[in-house]
Short mmCIF file of all heavy atoms in Angstrom, two decimals:
data_model
loop_
_atom_site.label_atom_id
_atom_site.label_comp_id
_atom_site.label_asym_id
_atom_site.label_seq_id
_atom_site.Cartn_x
_atom_site.Cartn_y
_atom_site.Cartn_z
N ALA A 17 17.77 2.60 -5.70
CA ALA A 17 16.55 2.79 -4.92
C ALA A 17 15.49 1.73 -5.19
O ALA A 17 15.30 1.35 -6.37
CB ALA A 17 15.98 4.16 -5.17
N PRO A 18 14.78 1.32 -4.20
CA PRO A 18 13.61 0.49 -4.49
C PRO A 18 12.55 1.32 -5.21
O PRO A 18 12.37 2.48 -4.83
CB PRO A 18 13.08 0.09 -3.12
CG PRO A 18 13.68 1.17 -2.16
CD PRO A 18 14.93 1.67 -2.81
N MET A 19 11.96 0.80 -6.25
CA MET A 19 11.00 1.54 -7.08
C MET A 19 9.87 0.65 -7.42
O MET A 19 9.90 -0.10 -8.37
CB MET A 19 11.71 2.12 -8.33
CG MET A 19 12.82 3.10 -8.02
SD MET A 19 13.58 3.80 -9.49
CE MET A 19 14.64 2.49 -9.98
N ALA A 20 8.76 0.82 -6.66
CA ALA A 20 7.58 -0.07 -6.88
C ALA A 20 7.11 0.17 -8.32
O ALA A 20 6.97 1.30 -8.73
CB ALA A 20 6.48 0.32 -5.91
N GLY A 21 6.89 -0.87 -9.05
CA GLY A 21 6.43 -0.78 -10.41
C GLY A 21 7.54 -0.60 -11.47
O GLY A 21 7.31 -0.61 -12.64
N VAL A 22 8.79 -0.36 -10.99
CA VAL A 22 9.87 -0.09 -11.90
C VAL A 22 11.07 -1.01 -11.64
O VAL A 22 11.70 -1.55 -12.54
CB VAL A 22 10.36 1.39 -11.78
CG1 VAL A 22 11.64 1.61 -12.56
CG2 VAL A 22 9.23 2.28 -12.33
N ALA A 41 11.06 -3.70 -4.61
CA ALA A 41 10.00 -3.03 -3.83
C ALA A 41 8.76 -3.92 -3.88
O ALA A 41 8.34 -4.26 -4.98
CB ALA A 41 9.71 -1.65 -4.44
N VAL A 42 8.20 -4.23 -2.71
CA VAL A 42 7.10 -5.12 -2.69
C VAL A 42 5.83 -4.53 -2.10
O VAL A 42 4.98 -5.24 -1.62
CB VAL A 42 7.50 -6.47 -1.93
CG1 VAL A 42 8.71 -7.08 -2.59
CG2 VAL A 42 7.75 -6.22 -0.45
N GLY A 43 5.79 -3.19 -2.15
CA GLY A 43 4.60 -2.50 -1.54
C GLY A 43 3.28 -3.02 -2.07
O GLY A 43 2.30 -2.94 -1.36
N ASN A 68 12.03 -3.63 -0.01
CA ASN A 68 11.40 -2.42 0.50
C ASN A 68 9.92 -2.58 0.72
O ASN A 68 9.20 -3.14 -0.15
CB ASN A 68 11.64 -1.29 -0.55
CG ASN A 68 11.02 0.00 -0.19
OD1 ASN A 68 9.97 0.36 -0.78
ND2 ASN A 68 11.58 0.69 0.72
N LEU A 69 9.50 -2.03 1.85
CA LEU A 69 8.08 -2.12 2.23
C LEU A 69 7.56 -0.74 2.64
O LEU A 69 8.33 0.14 3.08
CB LEU A 69 7.90 -3.05 3.47
CG LEU A 69 8.25 -4.51 3.28
CD1 LEU A 69 8.67 -5.13 4.59
CD2 LEU A 69 7.10 -5.24 2.67
N PHE A 70 6.25 -0.55 2.59
CA PHE A 70 5.64 0.72 2.99
C PHE A 70 5.04 0.61 4.40
O PHE A 70 4.49 -0.47 4.70
CB PHE A 70 4.57 1.10 2.01
CG PHE A 70 5.02 1.33 0.60
CD1 PHE A 70 4.21 1.01 -0.50
CD2 PHE A 70 6.28 1.88 0.36
CE1 PHE A 70 4.66 1.22 -1.80
CE2 PHE A 70 6.70 2.08 -0.93
CZ PHE A 70 5.86 1.76 -1.99
N SER A 130 14.09 -2.39 3.79
CA SER A 130 13.97 -0.92 3.98
C SER A 130 12.49 -0.50 4.05
O SER A 130 11.64 -1.22 3.52
CB SER A 130 14.72 -0.16 2.86
OG SER A 130 14.03 -0.30 1.64
N PHE A 131 12.26 0.63 4.73
CA PHE A 131 10.89 1.06 4.96
C PHE A 131 10.76 2.51 4.44
O PHE A 131 11.61 3.33 4.57
CB PHE A 131 10.56 1.03 6.44
CG PHE A 131 10.73 -0.34 7.01
CD1 PHE A 131 11.89 -0.67 7.72
CD2 PHE A 131 9.77 -1.30 6.84
CE1 PHE A 131 12.04 -1.96 8.26
CE2 PHE A 131 9.95 -2.62 7.38
CZ PHE A 131 11.10 -2.92 8.09
N HIS A 132 9.53 2.75 3.90
CA HIS A 132 9.14 4.08 3.43
C HIS A 132 7.88 4.48 4.12
O HIS A 132 7.07 3.59 4.45
CB HIS A 132 8.94 3.96 1.91
CG HIS A 132 9.32 5.22 1.14
ND1 HIS A 132 10.50 5.94 1.30
CD2 HIS A 132 8.69 5.93 0.15
CE1 HIS A 132 10.52 6.92 0.51
NE2 HIS A 132 9.49 6.98 -0.23
N SER A 154 13.56 5.64 5.25
CA SER A 154 13.69 7.00 4.73
C SER A 154 13.17 8.04 5.66
O SER A 154 12.17 7.86 6.28
CB SER A 154 12.87 7.14 3.43
OG SER A 154 13.36 6.37 2.40
N VAL A 173 17.99 6.66 5.23
CA VAL A 173 18.04 7.25 3.90
C VAL A 173 17.52 8.72 4.01
O VAL A 173 16.40 8.94 4.37
CB VAL A 173 17.14 6.48 2.93
CG1 VAL A 173 17.17 7.12 1.51
CG2 VAL A 173 17.62 5.01 2.80
N GLN A 175 16.12 11.56 2.42
CA GLN A 175 15.49 11.77 1.10
C GLN A 175 15.14 13.27 0.91
O GLN A 175 14.23 13.82 1.59
CB GLN A 175 14.23 10.94 0.99
CG GLN A 175 13.62 10.96 -0.39
CD GLN A 175 12.20 10.52 -0.43
OE1 GLN A 175 11.42 10.80 0.48
NE2 GLN A 175 11.79 9.88 -1.57
N GLU A 178 14.25 16.97 -3.82
CA GLU A 178 14.53 16.76 -5.23
C GLU A 178 14.16 15.40 -5.71
O GLU A 178 14.10 15.08 -6.89
CB GLU A 178 16.07 16.85 -5.49
CG GLU A 178 16.69 18.25 -5.18
CD GLU A 178 17.26 18.23 -3.73
OE1 GLU A 178 16.58 17.70 -2.83
OE2 GLU A 178 18.34 18.82 -3.50
N ALA A 179 14.01 14.49 -4.72
CA ALA A 179 13.91 12.99 -5.05
C ALA A 179 12.71 12.72 -5.94
O ALA A 179 11.61 13.28 -5.77
CB ALA A 179 13.82 12.21 -3.77
N GLY A 180 12.88 11.71 -6.81
CA GLY A 180 11.75 11.22 -7.61
C GLY A 180 10.92 10.25 -6.81
O GLY A 180 11.41 9.66 -5.80
N GLY A 181 9.67 10.09 -7.18
CA GLY A 181 8.76 9.14 -6.48
C GLY A 181 8.17 9.76 -5.23
O GLY A 181 8.24 10.93 -5.02
N HIS A 182 7.64 8.87 -4.36
CA HIS A 182 6.95 9.33 -3.19
C HIS A 182 7.87 9.88 -2.13
O HIS A 182 8.92 9.26 -1.83
CB HIS A 182 6.10 8.24 -2.56
CG HIS A 182 4.87 8.02 -3.34
ND1 HIS A 182 4.74 7.15 -4.42
CD2 HIS A 182 3.57 8.61 -3.18
CE1 HIS A 182 3.50 7.22 -4.88
NE2 HIS A 182 2.80 8.08 -4.17
N ALA A 215 19.77 10.62 -0.70
CA ALA A 215 18.93 10.33 -1.86
C ALA A 215 18.19 11.59 -2.36
O ALA A 215 17.81 12.45 -1.53
CB ALA A 215 17.86 9.30 -1.48
N GLY A 216 18.12 11.74 -3.67
CA GLY A 216 17.42 12.84 -4.27
C GLY A 216 18.22 13.68 -5.21
O GLY A 216 19.15 14.40 -4.83
N GLY A 217 17.96 13.43 -6.53
CA GLY A 217 18.62 14.30 -7.55
C GLY A 217 20.01 13.84 -7.86
O GLY A 217 20.76 14.55 -8.59
N ILE A 218 20.48 12.71 -7.33
CA ILE A 218 21.88 12.24 -7.61
C ILE A 218 21.86 11.34 -8.82
O ILE A 218 21.17 10.32 -8.88
CB ILE A 218 22.41 11.48 -6.36
CG1 ILE A 218 22.41 12.44 -5.13
CG2 ILE A 218 23.84 10.96 -6.66
CD1 ILE A 218 22.73 11.72 -3.86
N MET A 219 22.60 11.76 -9.81
CA MET A 219 22.49 11.02 -11.17
C MET A 219 23.84 10.51 -11.64
O MET A 219 23.88 9.73 -12.59
CB MET A 219 21.91 12.01 -12.20
CG MET A 219 20.53 12.50 -11.87
SD MET A 219 19.29 11.21 -11.88
CE MET A 219 19.13 10.73 -13.59
N GLN A 236 21.75 6.80 -2.66
CA GLN A 236 20.69 6.01 -3.20
C GLN A 236 20.05 6.71 -4.42
O GLN A 236 19.66 7.84 -4.28
CB GLN A 236 19.60 5.79 -2.11
CG GLN A 236 18.38 5.04 -2.64
CD GLN A 236 17.55 4.49 -1.49
OE1 GLN A 236 18.01 3.82 -0.58
NE2 GLN A 236 16.23 4.81 -1.55
N LEU A 237 20.17 6.04 -5.55
CA LEU A 237 19.75 6.66 -6.81
C LEU A 237 18.53 5.90 -7.31
O LEU A 237 18.59 4.67 -7.46
CB LEU A 237 20.86 6.57 -7.85
CG LEU A 237 22.05 7.49 -7.70
CD1 LEU A 237 22.91 7.12 -6.46
CD2 LEU A 237 22.96 7.42 -8.93
N GLY A 238 17.47 6.61 -7.64
CA GLY A 238 16.32 6.00 -8.24
C GLY A 238 16.20 6.34 -9.72
O GLY A 238 16.37 5.45 -10.59
N THR A 239 15.93 7.59 -10.03
CA THR A 239 15.74 7.98 -11.42
C THR A 239 16.89 7.56 -12.35
O THR A 239 16.67 7.16 -13.47
CB THR A 239 15.63 9.58 -11.48
OG1 THR A 239 14.58 9.95 -10.58
CG2 THR A 239 15.26 10.03 -12.86
N ALA A 240 18.11 7.57 -11.80
CA ALA A 240 19.23 7.16 -12.62
C ALA A 240 19.13 5.76 -13.14
O ALA A 240 19.67 5.40 -14.21
CB ALA A 240 20.53 7.29 -11.82
N VAL A 242 16.05 4.17 -13.78
CA VAL A 242 14.74 3.89 -14.46
C VAL A 242 15.03 3.48 -15.89
O VAL A 242 14.34 2.62 -16.41
CB VAL A 242 13.83 5.13 -14.40
CG1 VAL A 242 12.59 4.92 -15.21
CG2 VAL A 242 13.44 5.43 -12.93
N TYR A 253 7.53 5.95 -20.78
CA TYR A 253 8.26 6.48 -19.60
C TYR A 253 9.64 6.71 -20.05
O TYR A 253 10.27 7.79 -19.79
CB TYR A 253 8.17 5.42 -18.53
CG TYR A 253 8.57 5.78 -17.17
CD1 TYR A 253 8.35 4.84 -16.10
CD2 TYR A 253 9.11 6.99 -16.76
CE1 TYR A 253 8.68 5.11 -14.82
CE2 TYR A 253 9.46 7.26 -15.48
CZ TYR A 253 9.24 6.32 -14.52
OH TYR A 253 9.58 6.59 -13.18
N ARG A 277 7.05 13.00 -6.57
CA ARG A 277 7.61 13.83 -7.67
C ARG A 277 7.58 13.03 -8.97
O ARG A 277 8.05 11.89 -9.03
CB ARG A 277 9.09 14.25 -7.37
CG ARG A 277 9.66 15.22 -8.49
CD ARG A 277 10.98 15.75 -8.07
NE ARG A 277 10.96 16.65 -6.97
CZ ARG A 277 10.52 17.89 -6.93
NH1 ARG A 277 10.09 18.45 -8.08
NH2 ARG A 277 10.52 18.59 -5.82
N GLN A 323 4.80 8.77 -13.98
CA GLN A 323 6.21 8.72 -14.51
C GLN A 323 7.05 9.39 -13.43
O GLN A 323 7.43 10.56 -13.57
CB GLN A 323 6.38 9.32 -15.86
CG GLN A 323 5.57 8.52 -16.86
CD GLN A 323 5.47 9.20 -18.22
OE1 GLN A 323 5.59 10.39 -18.39
NE2 GLN A 323 5.28 8.39 -19.28
N TRP A 324 7.33 8.69 -12.35
CA TRP A 324 8.08 9.32 -11.24
C TRP A 324 9.50 9.63 -11.67
O TRP A 324 10.15 8.88 -12.30
CB TRP A 324 8.14 8.35 -10.03
CG TRP A 324 6.79 7.77 -9.57
CD1 TRP A 324 6.54 6.47 -9.40
CD2 TRP A 324 5.67 8.49 -9.14
NE1 TRP A 324 5.23 6.33 -8.95
CE2 TRP A 324 4.71 7.56 -8.78
CE3 TRP A 324 5.32 9.87 -9.10
CZ2 TRP A 324 3.37 7.88 -8.35
CZ3 TRP A 324 4.00 10.18 -8.67
CH2 TRP A 324 3.12 9.23 -8.28
N ALA A 325 9.98 10.80 -11.30
CA ALA A 325 11.33 11.17 -11.57
C ALA A 325 11.83 12.33 -10.68
O ALA A 325 10.97 13.16 -10.29
CB ALA A 325 11.43 11.59 -13.08
N GLY A 326 13.05 12.28 -10.40
CA GLY A 326 13.67 13.38 -9.55
C GLY A 326 14.15 14.51 -10.43
O GLY A 326 14.11 14.49 -11.68
N GLN A 327 14.63 15.57 -9.71
CA GLN A 327 14.99 16.77 -10.44
C GLN A 327 16.21 16.58 -11.35
O GLN A 327 16.49 17.43 -12.21
CB GLN A 327 15.25 17.90 -9.44
CG GLN A 327 13.91 18.37 -8.81
CD GLN A 327 14.22 19.52 -7.81
OE1 GLN A 327 15.27 19.75 -7.33
NE2 GLN A 327 13.11 20.23 -7.51
N GLY A 328 16.93 15.52 -11.13
CA GLY A 328 18.11 15.30 -11.99
C GLY A 328 17.78 14.57 -13.24
O GLY A 328 18.66 14.14 -14.07
C1 LIG B 401 10.09 5.40 -10.18
C2 LIG B 401 10.36 5.58 -8.71
C3 LIG B 401 9.68 4.71 -7.82
C4 LIG B 401 10.00 4.80 -6.45
N1 LIG B 401 9.37 3.94 -5.58
C5 LIG B 401 9.84 3.86 -4.32
C6 LIG B 401 9.43 2.74 -3.50
O1 LIG B 401 8.68 1.87 -3.94
N2 LIG B 401 9.91 2.73 -2.24
C7 LIG B 401 10.80 3.70 -1.76
O2 LIG B 401 11.21 3.57 -0.65
N3 LIG B 401 11.19 4.69 -2.53
C8 LIG B 401 10.74 4.79 -3.81
N4 LIG B 401 11.16 5.81 -4.60
C9 LIG B 401 12.07 6.87 -3.98
C10 LIG B 401 13.48 6.40 -3.96
O3 LIG B 401 13.68 5.56 -2.80
C11 LIG B 401 14.48 7.58 -3.77
O4 LIG B 401 14.17 8.32 -2.62
C12 LIG B 401 14.52 8.51 -4.95
O5 LIG B 401 14.50 7.78 -6.20
C13 LIG B 401 15.79 9.39 -4.94
O6 LIG B 401 15.73 10.39 -5.84
P1 LIG B 401 16.15 10.31 -7.42
O7 LIG B 401 15.02 9.58 -8.14
O8 LIG B 401 16.32 11.72 -7.82
O9 LIG B 401 17.40 9.51 -7.41
C14 LIG B 401 10.90 5.76 -5.97
C15 LIG B 401 11.52 6.62 -6.87
C16 LIG B 401 11.32 6.53 -8.24
C17 LIG B 401 12.04 7.43 -9.17
#
Side-chain angles (χ1 to χ4, degrees):
M19 296 183 280
V22 171
V42 303
N68 176 256
L69 295 154
F70 298 145
S130 70
F131 302 99
H132 212 46
S154 292
V173 178
Q175 190 199 34
E178 300 92 320
H182 281 88
I218 301 172
M219 300 297 289
Q236 175 164 308
L237 288 66
T239 306
V242 173
Y253 194 173
R277 186 173 294 283
Q323 295 171 335
W324 309 125
Q327 290 181 339

